[in-house]
Amino acid sequence: MPHVGGANPLLDQFRRGDVPRDLREQAAQGTLVLRPVDQLTLLSWLAGDKDSAVVQAAEATLTRLVPEAVRSALARPETSEEVRRFFAARGVTPGTPAPDGPEADVLPEHAQEDAAADVRPTQLSMLPVVDRMKLAMKGTREQRATLIRDSNKMVALSVLGSPKLSETEIEAFARMANVTEDVLRVIGTTRAYLKHYGVIAALAKNPKTPLAIAMTLVSRLNARDLKVLSVDRNVAEAVRVAARKFLATGAARRR
């Protein structure tokens, strides 16, 4: 269950300006292994960064892009008009969308990268932040299960930007009480994830889920899960009360 184009939580951090300057500069150098559309989007933002070193790095990376791969990515429906205008101003316009299958990398060196390498989960904490971010997006399932709990928010959110993510993994993350609230908030506000009942139930039952999100999910639970939640002392009292209310009114979701 890959993230929907434009909804990569890692990109959201860059758009909001929540990323330290050193990470912005490394991203501008093309070190993050992103989907082509996401890579072009990020570079278009970083080319207008407030820091001149970041801008210089982004401009240098833009000269290394693979023209045909860029035109193909620009033609994809999830590419924003903002990004298309940015590249049009540089003389690059959409081409023919690539056929179904793996997308061509817009940076040539990414095609040769083996992000998963031979890094064991127990060794991940010793890696620099940017390398952990790379593995979060392109590494193995075991690596993602470790990195989603990383103390660095950028690393943890990079996992949710991985095109390799499955519904099973998202549900497992939603059950975890040792991830940051940022991770649970992103899962709880992403429509693609909330199409799956297992994710909804896991978030509603997780005591670490932000209260506002948990409350919105209670009404979507079936009677069995409402009964469990109504007596669960680990969740907030407001959530238990809401569960009892829906049970009493018979408004439980029929499943």
Side-chain angles (χ1 to χ4, degrees):
M1 183 171 49
H3 70 269
V4 179
N8 186 331
L10 182 61
L11 288 193
D12 290 341
Q13 298 300 304
F14 279 95
R15 181 181 276 282
R16 289 200 296 264
D18 293 341
V19 181
R21 192 208 65 82
D22 60 328
L23 280 181
R24 298 202 313 276
E25 185 172 1
Q26 291 184 68
Q29 293 167 359
T31 57
L32 299 183
V33 187
L34 299 169
R35 289 178 62 241
V37 171
D38 291 343
Q39 188 72 260
L40 297 184
T41 300
L42 183 56
L43 286 172
S44 72
W45 294 343
L46 294 174
D49 196 89
K50 60 186 178 183
D51 188 283
S52 60
V54 174
V55 173
Q56 187 174 16
E59 291 291 348
T61 301
L62 285 165
T63 66
R64 307 201 316 270
L65 297 178
V66 180
E68 285 305 315
V70 172
R71 285 194 282 270
S72 178
L74 290 175
R76 295 187 66 86
E78 65 266 34
T79 303
S80 71
E81 287 303 317
E82 174 190 5
V83 173
R84 290 197 180 102
R85 286 195 297 269
F86 173 86
F87 282 93
R90 293 164 180 257
V92 184
T93 55
T96 303
D100 291 340
E103 299 175 62
D105 287 299
V106 293
L107 281 167
E109 57 267 35
H110 285 177
Q112 285 77 45
E113 281 192 11
D114 180 9
D118 291 322
V119 183
R120 297 178 181 177
T122 55
Q123 300 171 315
L124 291 171
S125 62
M126 297 181 286
L127 295 176
V129 170
V130 70
D131 288 337
R132 301 206 303 276
M133 291 170 68
K134 287 181 185 179
L135 288 170
M137 290 182 281
K138 292 291 186 179
T140 66
R141 185 184 181 116
E142 291 73 22
Q143 289 167 338
R144 290 194 295 276
T146 297
L147 293 170
I148 194 68
R149 303 191 299 269
D150 199 281
S151 58
N152 186 296
K153 179 173 70 172
M154 298 298 297
V155 175
L157 292 181
S158 293
V159 173
L160 297 181
S162 171
K164 295 183 175 183
L165 272 184
S166 67
E167 176 190 337
T168 302
E169 285 178 276
I170 291 295
E171 185 175 337
F173 298 160
R175 286 196 300 267
M176 291 179 177
N178 56 350
V179 295
T180 67
E181 282 194 7
D182 291 296
V183 168
L184 297 175
R185 183 175 292 106
V186 168
I187 295 175
T189 54
T190 301
R191 290 184 181 180
Y193 301 156
L194 297 180
K195 290 179 181 178
H196 305 276
Y197 183 78
V199 175
I200 293 171
L203 284 173
K205 297 175 184 177
N206 191 333
K208 199 164 183 180
T209 298
L211 181 59
I213 291 176
M215 292 292 287
T216 64
L217 298 176
V218 173
S219 65
R220 300 174 65 177
L221 297 178
N222 61 31
R224 183 187 67 246
D225 285 324
L226 283 173
K227 288 177 182 177
V228 172
L229 198 59
S230 68
V231 294
D232 188 346
R233 292 290 177 180
N234 291 316
V235 300
E237 173 66 16
V239 174
R240 293 200 301 274
V241 170
R244 289 196 291 268
K245 173 185 174 183
F246 281 106
L247 275 174
T249 59
R253 181 176 181 174
R254 296 180 180 275
R255 295 185 75 79

